[in-house]
């Protein structure tokens, strides 16, 4: 009896080992590509972050922590005192704030949208999903310039507000954080809607009925039943929006102008006019860590989920 | 509290356009008494769930009204009705533990934590699930989930409990056991149960009264015995238990002439004149086989179907009609396929039934 079950286990273990070997072989090309395509450049960036900037561009091969130091502190050119790099902190703070706001706005807009789509019948659903994905077909730059056209002082938004008599002077929306926020919310909204839709579509609406049956009103049903069950979709959508928002480059550049920089623009600056490749490299690595921390949070949040049926 | 817990008054439900839509319920009226175990019984698609959902508040009648404890609740939303449902799919909240599921209704009613805790413990004991309070629904077997669904619906002490085929997903043995327990819980709690099933045996064992439904109408309401022994029409006679139907002609106030001209006593509604063509129903267990010469009818045994304690003898009467007689396995002596046999009816076996369209 024990012998039989022992050999059975061995057979199972063998099969599992074979399966793993086979899967490894199959994923080899992808792994190779990832290794060369992602890890290679990343390694270069990591190495550069510990070097000295070249006089005009590039790096000087001399190891130093200077670039990492510069992220947070600056040395006064005149008296050599060390102070916090206020400008950098402002940019970080703006990036995090705008990314969080974008996530929140897309969540608030995306939730009812996804709910609406998920509760349509089959054909209508396809239609609405199709509409949601249309923006993906157009170049990001072009869409961003379209937003710029709408937000500028003589743009459609200001004209409409003036015509309606809400304001007399055009609002300066363009080249403010608000413009960046509007642009990013627009660009990343589909990334929020799609995972939310997937979660709501899977929601068993009989649970909603059960909630009503047990004296929960609409708000309570939403908070106590729908929200916890679609939480994985909310977290996924938030990550999908927050991560690219944080590294956004085109949108803040076009709609924020030169002044309202975000981390992405600041990094670009170091490789261009700033002529400080190591600082750009260290900032890139830092950004990567922030993103990884966010992903880790996501994994933690979703694995703490209770077992579902 | 009034004698009538729920009263459905002339309920018509039409899905789709009022003209030409699907008529799921057609002028249904029924009074369900306080503290009774009432069953809606009927074949698939006859409108049982629709009627139940209207009492729960998930559906609004196209015409008619629903009265609960003397109050018109026709348009009240489900969360304002003191009515709870045990869903066929259980619909347990996957993200809540058993105890949280069971306490949900009380919590929504704004009860104190301590009160909820005590009530949950009490109901879990009633359904014998005290040990599972901290588990999640996905960690329970089908039968256990069923009990939790029941406990969840019972915990807020509704005045009426609605059960939509709650046992249909269980295997036969568990089902029988749950039937007994459901009945016990109904007696212990004194809550009015409205139970939906398409299983006539289940309905007969558990119910105080049964409403037999077909195609959006209620055909007969009565106690199980009444419905079984005195079916109002052919559909009820056929759906509840098994019945044989024979063409006959009314001979007198309580007698019919059968196909071969033999006359037999039969129960019948008043007002049927002699000579009227009617259908009589007779249960297989009310038919006795006997030597051919002693029978009121006779025929050839077309089939013998053995099933444990009993046997069904399919008897070809020769004029196109076939009767099924139930014969105890002990007394099958002499019966064989192709042989001739006589038939007698037990007293009160024949009953004239109204033909249903
Ligand atoms: N929401 C709906 N829209 C359209 N038709 C419906 C709807 N709900 C039910 N029906 C129809 O109404 C009729 C009665 O349905 P109902 O669910 O009440 O049947 P039932 O007696 O519960 O059957 P079952 O035993 O199969 O559960 C069916 O023909 C069904 O197709
Ligand atoms: Mg049903």
């Amino acid at each position: 009896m024990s012998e039989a079950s022992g050999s059975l286990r061995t057979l199972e273990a063998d099969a599992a080992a074979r399966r793993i070997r086979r899967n490894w072989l199959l994923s080899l090309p992808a792994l190779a590509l990832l290794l060369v395509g992602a890890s290679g450049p990343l390694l270069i960036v990591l190495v550069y972050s510990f070097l000295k900037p070249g006089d005009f561009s590039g790096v000087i091969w001399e190891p130093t922590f200077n670039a990492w130091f510069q992220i947070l502190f600056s040395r006064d050119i005149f008296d050599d005192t060390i102070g916090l790099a206020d400008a950098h902190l402002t940019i970080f703070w703006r990036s995090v704030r705008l990314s969080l706001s974008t996530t929140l706005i897309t969540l608030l807009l995306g939730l009812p949208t996804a709910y609406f789509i998920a509760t349509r019948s089959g054909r209508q659903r396809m239609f609405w999903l199709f509409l949601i994905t249309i923006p993906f077909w157009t170049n990001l730059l072009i869409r961003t310039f379209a937003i710029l056209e709408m937000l500028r002082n003589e743009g459609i938004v200001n004209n409409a507000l003036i015509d309606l008599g809400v304001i007399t002077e055009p609002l300066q929306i363009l080249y403010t954080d608000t413009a960046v926020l509007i642009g990013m919310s627009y660009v990343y909204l589909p990334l929020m809607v799609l995972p939310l839709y997937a979660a709501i579509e899977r929601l068993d609406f009989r649970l909603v009925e059960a909630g009503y049956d047990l004296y929960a009103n609409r708000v309570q049903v939403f908070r106590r039943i729908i929200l916890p069950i679609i939480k994985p979709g909310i977290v996924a959508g938030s990550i999908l929006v927050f991560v690219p928002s944080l590294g956004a480059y085109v949108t803040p550049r076009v709609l924020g102008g030169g002044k309202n920089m975000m981390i992405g623009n600041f990094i670009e600056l170091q490789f261009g006019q700033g002529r400080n490749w190591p600082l750009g490299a260290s900032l890139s690595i830092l950004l990567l860590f922030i993103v990884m921390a966010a992903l880790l949070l996501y994994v933690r949040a979703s694995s703490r989920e209770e077992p579902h049926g | 509290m009034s004698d009538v817990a729920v009263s459905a008054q002339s309920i018509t439900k039409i899905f789709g356009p009022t003209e030409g839509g699907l008529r799921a319920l057609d002028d249904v009226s029924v009074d369900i008494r306080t503290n009774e175990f009432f069953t809606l019984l009927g074949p698939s698609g006859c409108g049982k769930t629709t009627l139940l959902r209207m009492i729960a508040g998930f559906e609004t009648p196209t015409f008619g009204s629903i009265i609960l404890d003397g109050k018109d609740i026709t348009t009240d939303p489900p969360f304002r009705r003191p009515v709870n449902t045990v869903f066929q799919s259980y619909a347990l909240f996957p993200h809540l533990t058993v105890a949280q599921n069971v306490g949900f209704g009380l919590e929504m009613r704004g009860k104190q934590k301590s009160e909820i805790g005590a009530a949950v413990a009490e109901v879990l004991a009633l359904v014998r699930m005290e040990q599972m309070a901290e588990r999640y629904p996905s960690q329970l077997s089908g039968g256990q989930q069923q009990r939790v669904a029941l406990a969840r619906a019972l915990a807020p002490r509704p005045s009426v409990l609605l059960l939509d085929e709650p046992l249909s997903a269980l295997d036969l043995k568990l089902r029988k056991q749950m039937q007994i327990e459901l009945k016990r819980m109904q007696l212990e709690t004194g809550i009015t149960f409205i139970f939906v099933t398409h299983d006539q045996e289940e309905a007969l064992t558990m119910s105080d009264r049964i409403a037999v439904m077909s195609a959006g109408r209620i055909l007969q309401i009565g106690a199980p015995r009444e419905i079984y022994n005195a079916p109002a029409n052919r559909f009820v006679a056929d759906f509840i238990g098994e019945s044989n139907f024979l063409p006959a002609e009314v001979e007198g106030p309580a007698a019919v002439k059968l196909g071969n001209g033999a006359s037999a006593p039969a129960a019948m509604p008043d007002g049927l004149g002699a000579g009227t063509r009617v259908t009589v129903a007779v249960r297989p267990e009310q038919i006795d086989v006997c030597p051919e010469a002693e029978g009121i009818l006779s025929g050839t045994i077309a089939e013998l179907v053995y099933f444990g304690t009993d046997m069904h003898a399919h008897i070809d009467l020769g004029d196109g009609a076939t009767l099924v007689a139930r014969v105890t396995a002990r007394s099958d002596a002499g019966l064989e396929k192709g042989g001739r046999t006589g038939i007698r009816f037990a007293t009160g076996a024949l009953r004239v039934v109204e033909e249903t369209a």
Side-chain angles (χ1 to χ4, degrees):
Chain A
M1 179 61 212
S2 68
E3 234 179 54
S5 66
S7 66
L8 209 66
R9 241 200 309 283
T10 328
L11 283 178
E12 274 180 356
D14 277 357
R18 262 200 309 279
R19 208 161 41 235
I20 290 172
R21 262 202 305 280
R22 195 177 54 229
N23 291 352
W24 256 101
L25 274 174
L26 283 175
S27 46
L28 216 56
L31 284 177
L33 195 67
L34 277 176
L35 211 68
V36 178
S39 315
L42 209 60
L43 209 66
I44 295 175
V45 173
L46 186 67
V47 170
Y48 274 23
S49 74
F50 291 105
L51 297 177
K52 276 190 165 170
D55 283 337
F56 295 103
S57 71
V59 287
I60 296 171
W61 285 82
E62 232 173 88
T64 169
F65 287 104
N66 243 341
W68 287 96
F69 181 75
Q70 279 176 345
I71 292 179
L72 282 183
F73 304 102
S74 62
R75 199 181 291 269
D76 196 293
I77 2 173
F78 299 111
D79 57 8
D80 256 16
T81 50
I82 293 170
L84 275 179
D86 293 339
H88 297 187
L89 291 180
T90 311
I91 291 172
F92 293 156
W93 172 231
R94 175 184 298 120
S95 300
V96 171
R97 193 176 36 132
L98 286 179
S99 304
L100 284 177
S101 308
T102 304
T103 309
L104 194 69
I105 290 174
T106 51
L107 181 61
L108 290 180
L109 292 176
L111 209 50
T113 313
Y115 192 90
F116 173 81
I117 299 176
T119 47
R120 295 310 98 182
S121 64
R123 279 254 302 284
Q124 279 190 38
R125 239 183 239 192
M126 286 304 120
F127 171 73
W128 289 108
L129 282 178
F130 169 76
L131 284 190
I132 291 282
T133 51
I134 278 186
F136 288 137
W137 304 2
T138 320
N139 183 286
L140 173 62
L141 207 56
I142 294 173
R143 282 186 286 148
T144 310
F145 273 108
I147 296 270
L148 177 136
E149 181 59 27
M150 282 166 62
L151 295 184
R152 72 196 169 85
N153 286 6
E154 295 81 33
I156 184 170
V157 172
N158 270 313
N159 282 347
L161 287 177
I162 290 171
D163 288 347
L164 286 173
V166 182
I167 49 174
T168 48
E169 290 288 299
L171 292 174
Q172 179 63 44
I173 308 175
L174 208 55
Y175 310 131
T176 64
D177 283 358
T178 312
V180 177
L181 196 56
I182 293 174
M184 291 210 299
S185 301
Y186 159 69
V187 169
Y188 296 124
L189 186 60
L191 298 181
M192 180 63 89
V193 171
L194 293 178
L196 283 180
Y197 162 77
I200 298 174
E201 199 244 357
R202 256 182 289 128
L203 179 75
D204 181 356
F205 278 87
R206 288 173 295 193
L207 296 178
V208 173
E209 274 192 356
Y212 285 134
D213 191 61
L214 292 162
Y215 314 108
N217 60 33
R218 286 176 186 85
V219 176
Q220 287 168 320
V221 163
F222 181 74
R223 276 198 38 228
R224 298 293 310 276
I225 296 165
I226 299 179
L227 215 49
I229 294 179
I230 65 168
K231 198 175 106 193
I234 294 177
V235 177
S238 301
I239 294 284
L240 281 179
V241 170
F242 181 76
V243 167
S245 299
L246 200 60
Y249 170 71
V250 171
T251 312
R253 178 67 194 272
V254 173
L255 299 177
K259 281 184 306 187
N260 298 290
M261 255 186 274
M262 286 179 63
I263 303 181
N265 312 105
F266 190 55
I267 291 174
E268 192 259 358
L269 195 66
Q270 303 316 315
F271 287 100
Q273 292 166 310
R275 291 177 192 166
N276 194 344
W277 285 27
L279 179 58
S282 60
L283 284 166
S284 304
I285 300 285
L286 180 70
L287 187 62
L288 189 73
F289 274 118
I290 298 178
V291 166
M292 279 189 351
L295 286 176
L296 211 65
L297 229 67
Y298 166 57
V299 173
R300 282 268 297 282
S302 50
S303 66
R304 231 189 302 119
E305 274 299 297
E306 304 307 340
H308 280 202
Chain B
M1 208 181 260
S2 56
D3 275 355
V4 176
V6 179
S7 172
Q9 301 182 344
S10 308
I11 299 284
T12 295
K13 177 67 185 181
I14 302 171
F15 288 110
T18 309
E19 293 293 325
L22 184 112
R23 209 170 260 264
L25 288 176
D26 191 3
D27 196 21
V28 165
S29 292
V30 56
D31 283 349
I32 294 151
R33 297 175 195 146
T34 306
N35 296 354
E36 82 175 328
F37 196 119
F38 191 89
T39 298
L40 297 171
L41 173 66
S44 185
C46 70
K48 309 179 293 287
T49 298
T50 306
L51 183 55
L52 209 64
R53 287 173 60 81
M54 244 162 312
I55 299 171
F58 299 130
E59 219 86 68
T60 318
T62 313
F63 303 112
S65 44
I66 308 269
I67 313 291
L68 181 85
D69 288 331
K71 234 181 76 215
D72 189 327
I73 56 158
T74 313
T75 54
D76 284 2
F79 51 87
R80 293 228 183 83
R81 303 186 183 205
V83 169
N84 288 153
T85 308
V86 179
F87 293 88
Q88 181 170 357
S89 57
Y90 311 145
L92 296 175
F93 304 128
H95 57 295
L96 300 180
T97 62
V98 165
Q100 288 167 334
N101 263 284
V102 175
F104 191 86
L106 292 165
E107 200 187 324
M108 291 302 117
R109 289 199 131 180
K111 295 279 189 278
Q112 296 297 315
K113 268 227 159 61
S114 55
E115 194 182 336
I116 296 174
V120 167
E122 190 187 325
V123 196
L124 283 181
L126 184 73
V127 299
R128 313 219 161 99
M129 288 287 291
E130 309 96 307
Q131 312 297 328
M132 312 276 178
E134 294 315 312
R135 293 221 197 161
Y136 286 90
S138 59
Q139 300 168 315
L140 301 176
S141 74
Q144 291 166 338
Q145 291 184 27
Q146 212 283 319
R147 282 158 198 268
V148 176
L150 193 63
R152 185 179 68 174
L154 281 172
R157 297 246 146 209
S159 52
V160 175
L161 188 73
L162 308 176
L163 305 101
D164 192 355
E165 308 205 27
L167 308 181
S168 62
L170 305 180
D171 63 62
L172 189 67
K173 200 156 167 229
L174 197 54
R175 199 177 166 131
K176 297 266 180 221
Q177 184 188 337
M178 280 307 293
Q179 286 174 6
I180 295 167
E181 291 205 29
L182 265 184
K183 186 73 195 170
R184 167 181 69 87
M185 284 172 217
Q186 195 260 330
L187 291 172
E188 276 179 36
T189 57
I191 292 173
T192 308
F193 276 35
I194 305 180
F195 185 88
V196 161
T197 182
H198 57 249
D199 180 341
Q200 44 105 4
E201 198 179 317
E202 193 166 277
L204 292 174
T205 28
M206 303 172 74
S207 321
D208 294 322
R209 285 194 309 150
I210 299 172
V212 183
M213 295 181 66
S214 166
R217 287 167 177 277
I218 292 184
L219 298 184
Q220 188 174 5
I221 301 176
R225 240 165 237 286
E226 214 176 305
I227 290 202
Y228 188 86
N229 292 333
N233 55 41
R234 178 166 181 158
F235 179 88
V236 176
D238 202 22
F239 193 72
I240 312 284
E242 287 164 82
S243 282
N244 295 293
F245 298 101
L246 292 172
E249 205 181 292
V250 175
E251 210 175 49
V256 292
K257 196 160 78 183
L258 297 174
N260 65 349
S263 97
M268 63 180 69
D270 294 336
L272 286 178
T276 317
R277 310 283 317 164
V278 292
T279 303
V280 291
V282 55
R283 303 274 184 201
E285 67 270 20
Q286 306 267 43
I287 301 175
D288 294 325
V289 292
C290 59
E292 196 177 349
E294 297 168 23
I296 179 170
L297 292 174
S298 66
T300 314
I301 297 177
E303 204 71 65
L304 281 171
V305 183
Y306 176 75
F307 54 96
T309 52
D310 292 325
M311 227 168 32
H312 273 174
H314 294 246
I315 301 161
D316 186 353
L317 297 181
D319 53 359
T322 306
L323 275 187
V324 178
R326 188 164 185 152
V327 187
T328 52
R330 274 185 295 119
S331 68
D332 68 338
L335 290 188
E336 60 184 52
K337 197 172 160 182
R340 297 284 298 171
T341 183
I343 289 166
R344 276 187 313 227
F345 298 114
T347 30
L350 294 184
R351 168 168 293 278
V352 172
V353 290
E354 182 193 327
E355 278 289 342
T356 26

